Amino acid sequence: MRTSLHEIEKIEQYLLKRGNPEEHLLMEAKMQLDSELADQVALQKQTYKVIVSYGRQQLRQEIQSIDRKVFRLPVYASFRSSILSIFKKS
C-alpha cells in the first residue's frame, strides 16, 4: 500500500508529539489494530533518526573545517592567541 501524504503528515504529528493528546491516543490505538500502520510509523521514525544523524555529521565536519582553518593556519595566529587567552587558567 502506498502511503498518502495525509498519512505521512499524521505520522509526523504523532512522532513529533504535535496536536492534542486525543489524536496521539487515537494514533496509538490505530497502530495496535493496523500492523501496516505501525510498520510505517517505525520506518518514518527510523528515517528521522538517519536525517538527524546525517545533520550532526555535517555539522561536525563544518566545525572541524573551521578548526583547521582558524587554529592551524598562520594567518589566524593573532586571532587564535586572543581566543586561547580567554580560556587560560589564571
Side-chain angles (χ1 to χ4, degrees):
M1 180 178 125
R2 185 176 179 275
T3 305
S4 72
L5 291 177
H6 180 71
E7 290 171 331
I8 292 171
E9 183 181 5
K10 289 290 185 186
I11 293 170
E12 182 174 308
Q13 288 176 353
Y14 170 75
L15 291 175
L16 300 177
K17 296 178 177 34
R18 294 182 184 154
N20 58 44
E22 293 83 13
E23 290 174 345
H24 192 81
L25 287 173
L26 181 60
M27 184 63 132
E28 288 181 1
K30 285 181 179 180
M31 287 189 303
Q32 291 292 323
L33 298 172
D34 185 354
S35 63
E36 189 172 327
L37 175 62
D39 291 343
Q40 290 172 351
V41 170
L43 182 60
Q44 194 161 335
K45 185 176 183 179
Q46 184 63 31
T47 301
Y48 288 161
K49 286 182 181 181
V50 168
I51 291 168
V52 167
S53 176
Y54 178 77
R56 286 181 179 161
Q57 181 182 14
Q58 291 299 108
L59 182 59
R60 190 175 301 117
Q61 288 175 352
E62 288 178 34
I63 291 169
Q64 288 172 346
S65 173
I66 292 168
D67 176 68
R68 281 191 296 274
K69 289 178 184 173
V70 173
F71 288 98
R72 289 183 177 70
L73 294 177
V75 69
Y76 297 110
S78 174
F79 176 74
R80 177 178 53 244
S81 178
S82 297
I83 294 297
L84 292 175
S85 71
I86 293 172
F87 296 100
K88 275 189 178 178
K89 292 182 181 181
S90 299

